[in-house]
Amino acid sequence: MPEYGYFLSCEQHGPAELLEQARMAEQAGFQALWISDHYHPWNDAQGQSPFVWSVIGALSEAVSLPIETAVTCPTVRVHPAVVAQAAATSAVMTDGRFRLGVGTGEALNEHIVGHTWPPAHVRLEMLEEAIQIMRRLFTGEEVNHHGTHYTVENARLYTVPDQPVPIDISGFGPAATALASRVGDGYITMMPDASMVEQYRKGGGGGKLVSGGTKVCYDTDRDAAVRTVHRLWANELLPGELGQVLPSPKHFEQAQTLVTEDMVRESRVCGDSPDEHVAELKRFADAGFDRVYVNQIGPDVRGFFDFYRTKVLPQLQTV
């Protein structure tokens, strides 16, 4: 049976709201937390984007749940040596309850420092080299590295956890999943795809942690929920690589005009049917996931947690 966690959205909520949601998640019976790592929201309607490492520091005092970034890009906007320091400190502050989820990122967040946004195969090369650097730094030893993409000179982390920070790798296609299989401590994907989980496990992932996540909109009015998702998260229904290459929230807003409310209604769980919410999370369980995270889209966060505490999580514990 998977563990069920809550997905904190830095794109949609400010720091104080995220802390309150984390507390409500723990009280409702969720077993872990994901938190997004963005410089920009996907669109202006989402409206937030706090610095994730500051929020994690506060979360370490607010709750006792495991915490993971979903996901950090340690390649362009922030040098992997700096990400390693942030992750190591987060692990110390949470008494080892922190995992670092990493991925190849999006131009939306990474191009802001003025570097050219690389093609996908180069981003994967950069991610693998970044992981090598971070793992070496987690040992607390001095690191010197002169690689294809990064240079590190005389770097040493003095504040490190007793055990190295686990690094889970996000993958939405065969190449990234293969990288996760080879070098990841776990695998992250947002699709309940059993074939991807099988590729990861057979490719070298074995029994390591596989985590997935989904977004829903709890509301007693289903049509209102559909409108909320369409307004705030239509970006998730854009096709192909648009999510990785569009450079600004304004560009996403332009592209989102292609997404209709009917598309949202067909693809997202909206409303207050416990059976529909249970079925959505069960798709991940059936595909072989070890942890499943869910995010509430829209303003009725308290209603969502009450609903999951009383109507959804109890059912998931028996299926």
Side-chain angles (χ1 to χ4, degrees):
M1 182 185 300
E3 295 181 339
Y4 292 94
Y6 186 71
F7 192 173
L8 297 166
S9 171
C10 286
E11 303 95 316
Q12 194 182 320
H13 301 283
E17 294 173 299
L18 293 168
L19 293 178
E20 181 59 21
Q21 288 175 29
R23 295 187 187 101
M24 288 191 287
E26 187 166 33
Q27 292 165 4
F30 285 98
Q31 298 165 286
L33 296 172
W34 261 1
I35 184 167
S36 55
D37 180 358
H38 270 235
Y39 193 89
H40 292 140
W42 296 97
N43 53 57
D44 284 356
Q46 292 174 357
Q48 293 286 341
S49 199
F51 187 53
V52 70
W53 302 107
S54 300
V55 179
I56 289 171
L59 287 172
S60 72
E61 293 295 313
V63 295
S64 61
L65 297 177
I67 302 166
E68 179 166 18
T69 54
V71 293
T72 294
C73 178
T75 59
V76 178
R77 171 170 46 109
V78 185
H79 192 283
V82 178
V83 174
Q85 184 184 27
T89 299
S90 297
V92 170
M93 293 185 72
T94 57
D95 294 323
R97 291 179 285 113
F98 177 76
R99 298 178 75 94
L100 177 62
V102 299
T104 56
E106 305 90 17
L108 173 72
N109 302 301
E110 305 305 318
H111 86 292
I112 60 163
V113 293
H115 295 304
T116 300
W117 185 236
H121 73 278
V122 176
R123 300 200 304 269
L124 281 171
E125 290 175 4
M126 296 172 73
L127 181 60
E128 183 166 6
E129 187 175 337
I131 291 169
Q132 294 170 355
I133 292 168
M134 292 188 293
R135 285 223 172 98
R136 290 177 63 190
L137 286 165
F138 290 153
T139 67
E141 299 175 357
E142 183 177 296
V143 173
N144 288 279
H145 174 89
H146 297 275
T148 303
H149 301 287
Y150 303 105
T151 297
V152 179
E153 293 184 349
N154 306 117
R156 179 185 172 190
L157 297 182
Y158 282 79
T159 301
V160 293
D162 293 335
Q163 299 296 324
V165 180
I167 301 176
D168 299 340
I169 299 175
S170 174
F172 297 95
T177 303
L179 176 64
S181 298
R182 279 194 298 110
V183 303
D185 296 309
Y187 176 51
I188 292 171
T189 187
M190 298 295 285
M191 302 174 292
D193 188 334
S195 66
M196 300 298 285
V197 175
E198 183 180 14
Q199 180 194 339
Y200 170 74
R201 296 207 184 281
K202 289 186 175 180
K208 295 177 182 177
L209 185 69
V210 174
S211 302
T214 187
K215 287 178 166 56
V216 302
C217 185
Y218 165 80
D219 195 307
T220 54
D221 183 333
R222 187 169 189 267
D223 289 336
V226 170
R227 291 192 296 270
T228 296
V229 176
H230 186 257
R231 178 173 62 88
L232 293 174
W233 286 92
N235 60 281
E236 291 220 321
L237 299 180
L238 293 176
E241 294 186 60
L242 288 177
Q244 285 70 54
V245 301
L246 293 179
S248 76
K250 292 298 183 186
H251 290 96
F252 277 94
E253 289 165 7
Q254 293 165 11
Q256 285 168 198
T257 61
L258 301 171
V259 179
T260 67
E261 288 187 8
D262 284 341
M263 292 167 66
V264 169
R265 189 174 283 105
E266 293 171 3
S267 63
R268 284 283 173 234
V269 173
C270 295
D272 61 351
S273 165
D275 290 344
E276 290 183 12
H277 285 260
V278 169
E280 171 67 8
L281 272 64
K282 192 173 181 296
R283 290 199 302 150
F284 288 86
D286 292 343
F289 285 73
D290 302 305
R291 281 186 182 168
V292 185
Y293 295 81
V294 60
N295 169 255
Q296 160 69 357
I297 295 174
D300 193 4
V301 176
R302 187 168 296 279
F304 165 87
F305 283 118
D306 288 342
F307 175 65
Y308 265 67
R309 177 179 56 82
T310 59
K311 301 290 181 63
V312 178
L313 292 178
Q315 287 195 57
L316 290 168
Q317 291 163 2
T318 62
V319 295

